[in-house]
Amino acid sequence: MASDARTTVALKGPVHPRPKRILGMKPKEFTTKLVVQLILMAGAVVILLPLVFMISTSLKNIGQVGVYPIVWIPKPIVWRNYPDALAEVNFALYTWNTIKVTFVGMIGVLLSCSLVAYGFSRFRAPGLNVLFLILLSTIMLPSQVTLIPVYIMFSKIGWVDTLKPLMIPRFFGNPYDIFLLRQFFMTIPLEMDDAARIDGCNPLQTFWHVLVPMAKPALGTVAIFHFMYAWNDFFGPLIYLHHRENWTLALGLQGFRQVYSTKTNLLMAASFMAALPCILLFFFAQRQFIQGVVITGVKG
């Protein structure tokens, strides 16, 4: 019996001990992930430091501003800075103007870009690829190149010092968003269009009832892109808006800084309230944004 047991062990070979695992991972894999996480955490701290400084300064009294070393946790916390900042700046009017510019422009971008992207992705015509290449080439054209002729045109039709130059052009498409949506539409099988055509849908009905519901992730991504751009835009309002009653938040904060440059705590309070919608949008829509970008890049 002993001889049979030794023969069995010899046939099976030497028994190696199982490698140690940390949290279900091999030591090398665990170390790699730990290093990556530490690098990401360090990067997050660096990126969030200005935001933390802004919030901290917005809660200080004027005597704690500019003190070195920096007082990160103010004592006492001055919540009064926020209503005081609202009293110094016509915050409600500037916010309403910014909301109009942002959401009217967003509707224009979603309608125009989705329709053009649908045409480029589903229809076939001579020279269509050339037109698409010309469209993409306009991405490399700086806006400053067309600034003077566009300004003269808007001045001739009486749109300067109104919100129209910041909203109406959005209804004529944006090359980057058109490209983004076209790439997504190309991932949808053409059999969906054939099935809709058999059911009696024309191209516009196919677009609205078939492709748009399936393109919600990409449309959400475009909406987020435009919101972030329009809400924080400073250059456009600076060029076209002259009177204070037409100012957006970006211009209002700039005017506040020029008049109340010594009241840094109030300026930080107003800046944080202006940035708060973008911060909330990031936290609540980041999954939608990442999903749209990932799905859009599946097919070239």
Side-chain angles (χ1 to χ4, degrees):
M1 296 295 293
S3 176
D4 293 342
R6 286 194 296 272
T7 303
T8 303
V9 171
L11 290 175
K12 290 183 177 180
V15 178
H16 297 286
R18 294 184 64 184
K20 295 181 179 179
R21 288 182 172 269
I22 305 174
L23 299 178
M25 295 180 287
K26 295 180 179 179
K28 185 177 180 180
E29 182 183 0
F30 175 79
T31 303
T32 302
K33 289 191 174 183
L34 179 62
V35 172
V36 171
Q37 290 294 330
L38 290 175
I39 294 174
L40 291 176
M41 290 173 61
V45 169
V46 173
I47 292 173
L48 291 175
L49 199 59
L51 177 62
V52 174
F53 177 78
M54 178 173 64
I55 297 174
S56 174
T57 305
S58 70
L59 297 173
K60 296 176 181 178
N61 56 48
I62 195 65
Q64 293 177 314
V65 176
V67 175
Y68 185 82
I70 298 174
V71 180
W72 291 100
I73 303 177
K75 294 180 181 179
I77 295 178
V78 186
W79 296 105
R80 183 65 189 174
N81 289 339
Y82 285 88
D84 287 348
L86 292 178
E88 298 284 355
V89 180
N90 196 346
F91 201 81
L93 177 61
Y94 299 158
T95 302
W96 175 239
N97 290 338
T98 306
I99 289 174
K100 287 191 291 186
V101 169
T102 301
F103 285 96
V104 173
M106 183 187 297
I107 294 172
V109 166
L110 292 176
L111 286 176
S112 60
C113 293
S114 58
L115 282 171
V116 176
Y118 172 66
F120 277 122
S121 63
R122 314 310 267 190
F123 299 151
R124 295 293 177 266
L128 194 65
N129 291 332
V130 176
L131 289 176
F132 185 66
L133 289 176
I134 295 173
L135 174 71
L136 289 183
S137 66
T138 61
I139 296 177
M140 298 181 289
L141 187 67
S143 59
Q144 290 80 4
V145 174
T146 59
L147 176 61
I148 294 177
V150 171
Y151 183 88
I152 293 174
M153 180 186 69
F154 287 148
S155 178
K156 294 291 186 182
I157 61 178
W159 282 10
V160 173
D161 201 23
T162 68
L163 299 179
K164 293 179 182 178
L166 305 176
M167 298 186 298
I168 303 303
R170 310 305 176 200
F171 287 84
F172 293 90
N174 176 282
Y176 179 81
D177 294 331
I178 291 172
F179 171 74
L180 197 69
L181 292 172
R182 173 189 177 269
Q183 297 304 104
F184 183 86
F185 286 150
M186 291 182 67
T187 65
I188 300 176
L190 291 173
E191 287 76 11
M192 303 293 294
D193 299 49
D194 297 336
R197 193 177 301 110
I198 291 174
D199 290 338
C201 292
N202 58 41
L204 190 59
Q205 290 173 325
T206 301
F207 165 75
W208 185 253
H209 295 290
V210 178
L211 268 72
V212 168
M214 298 180 68
K216 287 182 179 179
L219 292 172
T221 302
V222 171
I224 293 171
F225 277 151
H226 179 77
F227 182 93
M228 299 292 287
Y229 165 77
W231 190 270
N232 297 305
D233 185 26
F234 175 75
F235 184 74
L238 178 66
I239 296 299
Y240 295 112
L241 305 180
H242 300 160
H243 290 87
R244 287 181 177 270
E245 59 269 18
N246 295 323
W247 280 8
T248 59
L249 278 173
L251 285 184
L253 290 175
Q254 176 65 15
F256 182 91
R257 188 186 69 84
Q258 292 176 351
V259 178
Y260 304 100
S261 58
T262 58
K263 299 181 180 181
T264 308
N265 51 347
L266 299 186
L267 176 61
M268 292 299 175
S271 300
F272 177 70
M273 286 188 289
L276 187 60
C278 296
I279 297 173
L280 294 177
L281 180 68
F282 171 78
F283 281 107
F284 289 104
Q286 58 177 321
R287 180 177 298 179
Q288 177 81 12
F289 169 74
I290 295 173
Q291 180 185 6
V293 172
V294 170
I295 295 177
T296 303
V298 168
K299 183 175 180 180

